[in-house]
Amino acid sequence: MDPVLLSRIQFALTAGYHWIFVPASIGMGFMVFLLWTMAAITNEEQWHKAAKFFSKWLGVFFVLGVPTGIVMEFEFGANWANYSTFVGSIFGPPLMLEGLFAFALESTFIGVLLFGMDRLPRVISWFASFFVFIGSSLSGLWILIANSWQQVPSAYIIKDTPLGPRAELTDFMKAVFNPLMVSQYTHTINSAIITGAYIVAAVGAYYLLKKRHVQVARSAVAIGIVVLAISSIIQLYPTGHEEGAVIAKYQPTKLAADEGLYKTEEGAPMLVFGIVDEKNREVKAAIGIPKLLSWLAFGDWNAKVLGLHDAAEYVWYQQVLNNPNYADEKVKKEVVEQIMRAHGINPNDPKANEKMVEVLEESIPVAFMFYAYRVMVGLGTLFILIGGLGVLLLLLGKLYDSRWFLKVLVYTLPLPWFAGEAGWFTHEVGRMPWMVWGMVTVNTGVSSNVSATSVLITLIGFVVVYTILFYIWLHFVKKLVREGPEPVEGDPTAKPAPAVSAAGGGQ
């Protein structure tokens, strides 16, 4: 058993599970704030009931988002101790600030919101909902500052220390506003808003189909569809486009894998569909738009886009060997040789550099990247269509009676999570083998004294515990759906679902 592979699987599992609740928490935080705002502006009872109802949904997502995130922080020290030693002085402060300020703000005001919305004036609930959204957004900000720096490091120097080479900041603000941070943050937060909007719209659609809580349901569907339509367009442009342009400039191997581009091309096409043949290093049955990739990546229809091999050469020779951020040649030699040895390459081998290029080239699963990227983009395009169609039906006064469209909203509710997971897997798997681009690979960052058996045992334990937690979460979601929002005065459809006996029959 390989401890590196098992540690990667464990972190992928915990991160992917955590991401079920993060976008829902952030997105629902935004939607709850909008609902409380509508309640304050209109002073209509259905908006107030909708705001209270979806505040409970926010609480359910928040409760499971917290512990699953904490587990990941422990894994940095347990499974990836060498990585933590190398970049701990840079990666640590954003995590500390996230806990001290963002999480404290969010957790305080979500308590005020959930336990005070029946006891305190509505204006207090509005303020609480505002600070919950701000807190969750700031929490995402600090985490993504750390993540984006790992993807595109800036404002640092690699020095020799008693613990070995370490990266240290030279300018905190330049590191915070690294080239990827703004586009990655806006793209990620906006994807969470899409998830929140979809939840609100789909739950409202469910009640309309069941002819329950109709007044609250109409409010939920209307605001959810409008937010979905706007945010799904923003997800494509400008946030998605800008993040793609940064990746094209700083992470050429990731771009090549996303597009299945094995050979360097000028005026490279954007492939809509294809079948990746990794053995023969080609994409078969490819259907593409001529020159579009070059234009999207570099703003030039005839720009050169590096194929996977040339991109790997560029990363190794330009971003690693010619990295200007080494304190001296001794540190550079130590870091480079450490990377080579960790990947089974003798630094004294005359072909050591060529072999490292092969490592970089072969570390990225091109087929996985190619398909995952198209799942993300395809679902994003679908959200634009659904949101646009929903707004059209709303303007025509047909939204609430279009049962086929309401069913589409309900049946496609899981898709925002699939899109988000596909996006994150593309983002993270695409930087392999780097944990920190150009400095730390998974082989050099893994803990030296953790056995594969230990990782396997904890991995099995996580699967068991997370399965139980997911079941508990589903139980509370079903309970919320069954109970529904508080009745609006004068709405005859505002009644809970009939109780179901243990034998499955209605009582």
Side-chain angles (χ1 to χ4, degrees), residues 396-432:
L396 294 175
K398 298 179 180 180
L399 176 61
Y400 310 126
D401 299 318
S402 299
R403 294 183 62 83
W404 66 270
F405 183 77
L406 298 176
K407 289 180 180 180
V408 167
L409 288 176
V410 173
Y411 294 147
T412 59
L413 177 56
L415 295 185
W417 279 282
F418 286 123
E421 296 283 359
W424 268 110
F425 276 110
T426 300
H427 195 60
E428 297 303 303
V429 175
R431 63 172 153 143
M432 288 297 106

Side-chain angles (χ1 to χ4, degrees), residues 78-323:
N79 295 69
W80 307 102
N82 292 332
Y83 151 83
S84 298
T85 300
F86 195 97
V87 295
S89 62
I90 298 175
F91 194 77
L95 296 183
M96 176 192 69
L97 292 170
E98 186 267 339
L100 287 178
F101 298 108
F103 175 71
L105 180 69
E106 181 185 10
S107 57
T108 298
F109 281 98
I110 200 170
V112 173
L113 178 63
L114 294 177
F115 296 106
M117 58 188 179
D118 288 322
R119 301 173 178 85
L120 300 173
R122 291 185 183 183
V123 67
I124 301 299
S125 295
W126 180 86
F127 272 110
S129 69
F130 172 73
F131 284 113
V132 168
F133 173 63
I134 294 299
S136 63
S137 299
L138 287 176
S139 182
L141 174 64
W142 288 113
I143 296 299
L144 291 173
I145 284 172
N147 183 273
S148 61
W149 186 88
Q150 292 181 122
Q151 302 275 350
V152 184
S154 60
Y156 69 95
I157 187 170
I158 303 176
K159 293 182 177 181
D160 196 12
T161 72
L163 296 175
R166 293 187 65 186
E168 297 181 3
L169 284 181
T170 57
D171 189 319
F172 179 76
M173 293 308 296
K174 285 185 178 179
V176 166
F177 290 99
N178 62 76
L180 184 60
M181 193 278 288
V182 173
S183 60
Q184 182 179 354
Y185 176 71
T186 54
H187 193 62
T188 303
I189 295 299
N190 193 66
S191 73
I193 291 174
I194 290 174
T195 304
Y198 226 106
I199 293 170
V200 171
V203 172
Y206 172 81
Y207 287 130
L208 287 179
L209 289 169
K210 296 295 183 180
K211 294 182 169 46
R212 294 171 52 208
H213 308 288
V214 168
Q215 290 188 34
V216 171
R218 287 188 173 193
S219 300
V221 172
I223 197 169
I225 279 295
V226 170
V227 173
L228 174 63
I230 296 172
S231 57
S232 59
I233 293 173
I234 293 174
Q235 192 71 352
L236 176 65
Y237 186 88
T239 65
H241 173 73
E242 292 300 323
E243 183 171 2
V246 174
I247 288 171
K249 182 176 180 180
Y250 294 96
Q251 297 182 311
T253 50
K254 181 186 290 186
L255 176 66
D258 283 343
E259 297 302 328
L261 194 66
Y262 285 103
K263 297 179 180 179
T264 299
E265 292 188 40
E266 295 182 359
M270 176 72 128
L271 298 186
V272 178
F273 174 80
I275 300 172
V276 177
D277 183 349
E278 290 185 317
K279 181 178 180 180
N280 295 310
R281 301 174 58 80
E282 63 178 337
V283 178
K284 298 179 178 178
I287 300 174
I289 303 173
K291 300 190 176 185
L292 184 59
L293 177 60
S294 291
W295 181 78
L296 289 174
F298 301 107
D300 180 353
W301 295 102
N302 296 307
K304 179 190 292 185
V305 182
L306 296 179
L308 186 58
H309 178 77
D310 291 341
E313 279 192 338
Y314 175 84
V315 170
W316 182 249
Y317 287 102
Q318 299 301 319
Q319 296 181 321
V320 179
L321 297 184
N322 288 327
N323 185 348

Side-chain angles (χ1 to χ4, degrees), residues 320-375:
V320 179
L321 297 184
N322 288 327
N323 185 348
N325 296 301
Y326 296 110
D328 52 47
E329 286 297 317
K330 178 184 175 183
V331 174
K332 172 183 173 180
K333 184 173 184 292
E334 189 171 354
V335 171
V336 170
E337 290 186 356
Q338 186 179 58
I339 293 173
M340 288 182 171
R341 290 193 181 96
H343 290 274
I345 298 173
N346 182 355
N348 297 318
D349 187 334
K351 295 185 177 181
N353 288 323
E354 288 86 345
K355 291 180 179 180
M356 271 310 306
V357 170
E358 291 180 12
V359 168
L360 301 188
E361 188 177 354
E362 295 172 0
S363 295
I364 305 178
V366 176
F368 175 89
M369 291 287 294
F370 184 85
Y371 299 128
Y373 182 75
R374 272 144 194 82
V375 168

